[in-house]
Amino acid sequence: MTAVALDGRALAVKIVASLKPRLAALPRAPRLLVVAASADAEAQSYRRQQLKACREAGIETSLAEKLPSPSGFKEYDAVIIDRPLPAGVDAQKLFDSLPPEQDAEGATAYNLGRLYALKRYDDFRAQGLVGPCTALAIAELARETRVPLAGKAAAVIGRSNIVGKPAAHLLSCLDLTVTLCHSKTRDLATIVAGSDVVVAATGRPGMIEAGWIKPGAIVIDAGITMRGKNVVGDVDPAAAQKASHYTPVPGGVGPVTTAMLLANTVTLAERALEKR
Ligand SMILES: NC(=O)c1ccc[n+]([C@@H]2O[C@H](COP(=O)([O-])OP(=O)(O)OC[C@H]3O[C@@H](n4cnc5c(N)ncnc54)[C@H](OP(=O)(O)O)[C@@H]3O)[C@@H](O)[C@H]2O)c1
């Protein structure tokens, strides 16, 4: 079987187009502050993509080296802090210094708590929630397959607070039965082989072997690792021969992640401007 490639760029265009009426209904353009906390080359390239996508969609952006003073937050509807963070930084402490109502990545404890209280994915928008962009992108890509997901088995490999853990929760909100795997998981190959949806989020290139994939499974690869000038994912590309759908790397999860940042920013601007 040759899988359908899930085109993240096309889905991103669709998501951003769906934001247009919401942007047009606002009294002014949303304002996003990007805090350039990371000197990492990949983070800088991702930042350039974010800024370009925002500008094209009509979101005003500013760039700062560090977080503004507490009163300075008022100038913005949304704030995102670049990753990876410099070594030694307590990530949750840093994210919790953001006001939850300006947290463009849904990374504060308050917004994560709201997210984990969600039961049905369809209620995410209705409740005006924001969430970790890559986890949201994974859920959007799973839905984009149009394959009925309810009751099926999913394996998420990687349990970070920003990708694996919230992705596992969102997939459970899509009624999948989810196994959350990590570096201490025993017999990962058997868990993956029994899964209809496989999400890889480890940053370990090729660690998910093609032979593990159940024929017809949906494979979503969030992994990003630079190999020379190339970006590679966590899943052996030969898995495309067994899957029904797979995300290419690059061009799969990445562009949808950026689109979800725009969606979070619009949600926060709507909330802020409706209150004023
Ligand atoms: N596409 C995008 O837009 C996007 C956005 C963000 C991140 N990413 C990428 O996604 C990947 C994961 O990012 P992250 O921030 O979640 O990374 P992270 O914080 O380093 O977490 C990696 C996770 O992988 C698990 N793991 C490591 N080795 C494993 C193994 N041999 N077997 C099973 N699990 C293993 C770790 O388990 P333990 O918890 O036991 O250590 C951990 O939970 C990275 O490649 C990153 O670049 C992509």
Side-chain angles (χ1 to χ4, degrees), residues 162-182:
I162 200 70
V163 188
K165 206 182 291 173
H169 171 65
L170 291 172
L171 294 182
S172 83
C173 294
L174 289 169
D175 292 329
L176 285 144
T177 303
V178 186
T179 305
L180 181 55
C181 308
H182 46 77

Side-chain angles (χ1 to χ4, degrees), residues 6 11 14-15 120-125 135-149 170-171 173-176 197 218 220 245 260:
L6 287 166
L11 178 56
K14 221 158 78 174
I15 292 168
R120 297 181 60 250
Y121 188 73
D122 283 342
D123 293 338
F124 180 84
R125 261 297 312 285
L136 289 168
I138 290 165
E140 290 292 324
L141 283 156
R143 287 221 303 190
E144 187 64 9
T145 61
R146 308 276 183 253
V147 171
L149 300 172
L170 291 172
L171 294 182
C173 294
L174 289 169
D175 292 329
L176 285 144
V197 177
I218 295 166
I220 300 177
H245 299 77
M260 297 321 293

